[in-house]
Amino acid sequence: MRLEEQSAKISRGNAIHHPHHGIGRVQSVGKCDFAGSKGASFAQLYFQREDLTLILRLRDAAAAVRPPVTAEQAGQILNHIEHWDGRASKQWKARAAAHQEAMDRGDPFEYAEVFKALSRLEAADGLRHTDRAHLNRAIDALADELAYALGETPDHVRQQISEAAATPDSFRTADSPPPP
């Protein structure tokens, strides 16, 4: 399952999602001399989790952010975590590259897959430094976005994510036999 691509409506006060910074709000939209362009339209975005203000050209902002998921989509993501049965590559370089690309695309269904694959790997073999960084980034991104969509705290949503990932056969390795 994948999130359908949508362009975020860039207007003051709207919530947006950025793949690296999480949930944010459009603080203002205006025109000014920006990045060598005279009178360019820009959007000022604020990301509370990182206490970060980001200013982007309006034409770049539409490609860099998307609308946050809805409560219905958040439920679908939790369901996806519970039922997804994919595996991480055994080759650490290929795995790291694939997970980085998935995180950069900003699709929460892919965040869920990175989280579950690396959670399984952690339970079976432990994690390399890059894997740990991707696991932490995936759970942070999921908790941030699902908490917003569900009106819950990030800590409560982390618990829901962990429960969804802890299905009986979740932590089998690729070499483990299927359950009876």
Side-chain angles (χ1 to χ4, degrees):
M1 181 173 272
R2 297 287 172 254
L3 191 65
E4 289 182 30
E5 282 195 35
Q6 302 173 8
S7 293
K9 182 168 172 55
I10 308 294
S11 57
R12 189 169 194 262
N14 282 8
I16 46 90
H17 177 273
H18 187 282
H20 297 285
H21 307 299
I23 297 293
R25 287 224 175 262
V26 178
Q27 287 187 316
S28 63
V29 177
K31 290 185 182 271
C32 73
D33 295 345
F34 186 76
S37 298
K38 299 259 187 224
S41 295
F42 71 93
Q44 181 173 319
L45 313 174
Y46 178 71
F47 300 92
Q48 183 176 359
R49 183 180 78 201
E50 297 180 346
D51 192 25
L52 173 74
T53 299
L54 184 64
I55 299 174
L56 297 172
R57 284 189 212 171
L58 203 51
R59 70 175 187 228
D60 298 334
V65 299
R66 63 168 168 75
V69 297
T70 64
E72 179 181 344
Q73 290 168 321
Q76 292 170 349
I77 293 164
L78 288 169
N79 188 54
H80 186 63
I81 293 170
E82 184 176 346
H83 293 89
W84 184 75
D85 198 31
R87 299 283 184 261
S89 171
K90 290 185 179 194
Q91 300 296 317
W92 73 267
K93 259 184 158 175
R95 180 175 64 241
H99 289 162
Q100 184 64 49
E101 289 172 11
M103 295 302 297
D104 287 347
R105 283 190 290 270
D107 185 322
F109 288 94
E110 289 188 73
Y111 297 164
E113 292 170 6
V114 169
F115 168 75
K116 190 158 183 184
L118 290 175
S119 294
R120 287 176 173 158
L121 187 62
E122 180 180 43
D125 300 327
L127 296 177
R128 299 175 71 90
H129 176 74
T130 303
D131 290 331
R132 168 74 49 209
H134 287 147
L135 177 62
N136 290 339
R137 188 170 160 211
I139 189 67
D140 286 346
L142 285 167
D144 188 40
E145 188 157 16
L146 299 186
Y148 177 82
L150 298 171
E152 301 282 350
T153 65
D155 287 339
H156 184 258
V157 171
R158 282 175 191 274
Q159 183 62 35
Q160 289 178 292
I161 292 167
S162 293
E163 289 169 5
T167 55
D169 64 339
S170 290
F171 297 109
R172 288 186 297 116
T173 64
D175 301 326
S176 300

